[in-house]
Every structure is written in structure tokens, then in C-alpha cells.
């Protein structure tokens, strides 16, 4: 009888220990965006995706949406969702912040502003070709150039004759210097000031670029396949598989004046000119959004201004310092006051 009780007690201890291990294995996320309703709130990840950096590259990732008043973590794919808002895939097919699909073809071997805000500029280099008998270029996004504060970052899909899944087709640079980010899932790099981070989300060809409190960009490199070429009559040559980027953006705190091919869809009063019911609603304006290079902010409607962004930050700091709820011991810098 005593032996049986002892076994039962040991079993309870084992179950308890296992439960504690499961609890400890769940990550938490904290939102550091000052103007978010979730600012500094620590939230546990859901059991469906308990980790912010899962060891399985196919597993969903724990994510906290700082723009949500619910302050609840959710699961998301680490790779771009080409049907989700903020995405740009295919030739290229955009999904705006309003969820409406539109196409922007631009021109091959030229650069266009996808997003232009006071503190952020994101450009894209388009590659493509024009088969005989066509009136426009077929284009794809081959590279992204990002300007934030006084720093410049770029990533691009390398030119390849044929696609090889065992080869990494991504190339990176930071402030004009080429970056070497080791291959391997969860391999990462961050800037000296930690204002830009790059993490691989698979062994090769997929990354997430994070600008804390500004943006998160999921990137995947893919080729134009022979089947795609056959269906759309791209007439892809044998010496170039047109490796290109699939991307999806998440933004935090964009201004109401944000511009760019994709950025303008985040304006509060934006009305999408894409015609509903059309199979391929094409939006023009390439002259307004063209930039002279991948890392320039000189398009007709670009508003990127690092000096203006610095003034905004200083203004936000002053507002925080002026915050005083009761005048008691708990008021002052870094305190969030709630009713």
C-alpha cells in the first residue's frame, strides 16, 4: 500500500514538473512602441505558437501587434503571405493596407518608391523583359533599398541562369559595405546601434528584416518557373531564371502623409484607384514614384526627411517628460498613466 502511494506521489510530481517545463517553454512578447496601447506590456505567446524564434523553420511564429488595442499575441508565418495586406509578389502584385489587390508594373532596370515617410524610405529595383509583340515590360522586384535615419540597407536576389534550392540567392549591404550573414535557420545580424536586424527564417533564401518600432519585412527569394512562363507567356530565356523577391510589410506608426506605390494605401483617407471586378487592376504613376537609384529618396512624391524624423523624436521625448498623472511618486519619465 505504501509502495503504491509512493508511486502515485512520484507520478504527480512528474506531471507537475512536466507542466512547469511546458509553461517555462512559452515565450513572451513586449511591445516597445511608446505610442502603442500595449507599450511595455508583457504578453505570453499562445500555445499554438509558443516561440518567437522556433527551431522548426516551418513552424508559425509568435507575434504581438503593437497597433492592436487588444494587446494579444497571435501566430503568423515567418515567410511572406502573398495574399495578405502589405504584400508584393509575382509581377508585381500588391495587396494594399485596405486589402485590395492591384498591379504596378513600372519598368525593367529602374527603381521605384514603395514607401516614403518622414523616417522611412523603401525602394524597389525592378527587373524584367519585354517579349516580341508586347506593349509593356513584364517586371519583378529584384531588390529592396531601405533608408532609415542616416543609415542605408539593401538586400537583393542574385542573378542566376538556373535556380538551385541548395544555393543562397540573397545579397546584403549596410551603409555601402557588403554584409555576410551566415546561412542557417535563425542566423542573425544586427546593426551596431541595434536599429536594424536581419534574421534568417530558413537555411537559405528567406529573412525577416526588423526596424524596431518602424517596420518588419518578411522576404523570400523565388525564381520565375517554366510553368509560370508557360502560363503567362513570359518567354523567360534559358540564361536567366529571373530570381526575385516576395515581400510582406508590417508598419508601426506611419504618418498620415505616407507615400509610395504601397505606402499611399496606408493613408487614412486613401481611395484605391484600382477598378473593382477587373481581373488585373493596374495602377499607374511610375513617373511619380521613380527614383534615380535603389538608395535615393528623390521621387516626385517622396517625403523622406531624417532631420524631420529627429524633430519628431525630440517632440515625443518632450511629451513623455511632461506626462504627469497625479504628481505622486509614480509619475514621471517612462510612466504610462491610465484612467
Amino acid at each position: 500500500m505504501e509502495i503504491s502511494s509512493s508511486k502515485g506521489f512520484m507520478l504527480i510530481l512528474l506531471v507537475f514538473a512536466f507542466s512547469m517545463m511546458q509553461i517555462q517553454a512559452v515565450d513572451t512578447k513586449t511591445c516597445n512602441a511608446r505610442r502603442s496601447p500595449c507599450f511595455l506590456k508583457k504578453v505570453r505567446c499562445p500555445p499554438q505558437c509558443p516561440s518567437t524564434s522556433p527551431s522548426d523553420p516551418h513552424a508559425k511564429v509568435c507575434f504581438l501587434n503593437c497597433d492592436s488595442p487588444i494587446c494579444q499575441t497571435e501566430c503568423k508565418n515567418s515567410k511572406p503571405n502573398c495574399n495578405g495586406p502589405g504584400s508584393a509578389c509575382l509581377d508585381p502584385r500588391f495587396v494594399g493596407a485596405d486589402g485590395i489587390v492591384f498591379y504596378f508594373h513600372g519598368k525593367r532596370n529602374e527603381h521605384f518608391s514603395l514607401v516614403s515617410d518622414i523616417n522611412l524610405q523603401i525602394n524597389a529595383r525592378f527587373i524584367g523583359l519585354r517579349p516580341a509583340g508586347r506593349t509593356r515590360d513584364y517586371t519583378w522586384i529584384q531588390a529592396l533599398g531601405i533608408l532609415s535615419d542616416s543609415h542605408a540597407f539593401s538586400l537583393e536576389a542574385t542573378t542566376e541562369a538556373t535556380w538551385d534550392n541548395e544555393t543562397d540567392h540573397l545579397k546584403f549591404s549596410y551603409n555601402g559595405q557588403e554584409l555576410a550573414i551566415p546561412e542557417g535557420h535563425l542566423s542573425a545580424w544586427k546593426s551596431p546601434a541595434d536599429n536594424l536586424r536581419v534574421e534568417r527564417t530558413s537555411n537559405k533564401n528567406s529573412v525577416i528584416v526588423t526596424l524596431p518600432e518602424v517596420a518588419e519585412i518578411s522576404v523570400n527569394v523565388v525564381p520565375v518557373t517554366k510553368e509560370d512562363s508557360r502560363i503567362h507567356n513570359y518567354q523567360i530565356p534559358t540564361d536567366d531564371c529571373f530570381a526575385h523577391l516576395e515581400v510582406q510589410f508590417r508598419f508601426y506608426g506611419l504618418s498620415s502623409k505616407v507615400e509610395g506605390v504601397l505606402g499611399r494605401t496606408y493613408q487614412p483617407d486613401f481611395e484605391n484607384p484600382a477598378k473593382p471586378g477587373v481581373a488585373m487592376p493596374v495602377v499607374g504613376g511610375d513617373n511619380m514614384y521613380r527614383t534615380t537609384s535603389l538608395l535615393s529618396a528623390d521621387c516626385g512624391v517622396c517625403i523622406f526627411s531624417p532631420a524631420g524624423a529627429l524633430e519628431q523624436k525630440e517632440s515625443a521625448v518632450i511629451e513623455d517628460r511632461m506626462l504627469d498623472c497625479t504628481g505622486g511618486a509614480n509619475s514621471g519619465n517612462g510612466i504610462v498613466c491610465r484612467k
Side-chain angles (χ1 to χ4, degrees), residues 29-43 64-71 213 320 323 332-338:
K29 288 285 287 183
T30 303
C31 179
N32 294 314
R34 288 181 176 275
R35 299 184 183 278
S36 167
C38 310
F39 179 51
L40 295 184
K41 186 173 182 179
K42 187 175 288 188
V43 186
L64 176 61
N65 184 357
C66 289
D67 292 332
S68 171
I70 302 174
C71 301
E213 300 187 41
D320 286 341
L323 182 63
N333 297 346
I335 302 299
V336 176
C337 305
R338 295 193 178 102

Side-chain angles (χ1 to χ4, degrees), residues 111-221:
H111 305 90
F112 299 90
S113 169
L114 301 188
V115 178
S116 184
D117 208 353
I118 294 175
N119 66 331
L120 179 67
Q121 178 81 22
I122 302 176
N123 298 334
R125 179 190 298 132
F126 285 19
I127 54 170
L129 74 169
R130 183 180 297 191
R134 301 296 298 181
T135 58
R136 65 166 181 83
D137 294 339
Y138 288 120
T139 55
W140 296 269
I141 294 175
Q142 180 264 339
L144 292 179
I146 301 171
L147 301 173
S148 182
D149 297 327
S150 58
H151 303 290
F153 172 79
S154 69
L155 73 160
E156 59 185 272
T158 57
T159 302
E160 305 289 348
T162 57
W163 182 260
D164 180 5
N165 282 325
E166 299 306 312
T167 300
D168 186 51
H169 302 276
L170 275 171
K171 183 179 178 181
F172 310 92
S173 74
Y174 182 71
N175 288 345
Q177 301 295 318
E178 187 171 337
L179 286 180
I181 302 178
E183 295 179 14
H185 178 51
L186 300 184
S187 174
W189 171 91
K190 66 179 181 180
S191 64
D194 198 20
N195 55 2
L196 190 145
R197 305 166 195 160
V198 183
E199 181 180 46
R200 290 191 183 269
T201 52
S202 62
N203 289 331
K204 304 174 181 69
N205 298 314
S206 301
V207 295
I208 286 182
V209 179
T210 303
L211 289 84
E213 300 187 41
V214 178
E216 182 182 272
I217 310 167
S218 300
V219 181
N220 193 38
V221 186

Side-chain angles (χ1 to χ4, degrees), residues 91-111:
D91 59 343
R93 173 185 181 271
F94 291 85
V95 183
D98 51 10
I100 295 177
V101 173
F102 66 94
Y103 289 78
F104 178 86
H105 297 301
K107 293 182 180 179
R108 58 180 167 167
N109 302 325
E110 292 192 357
H111 305 90

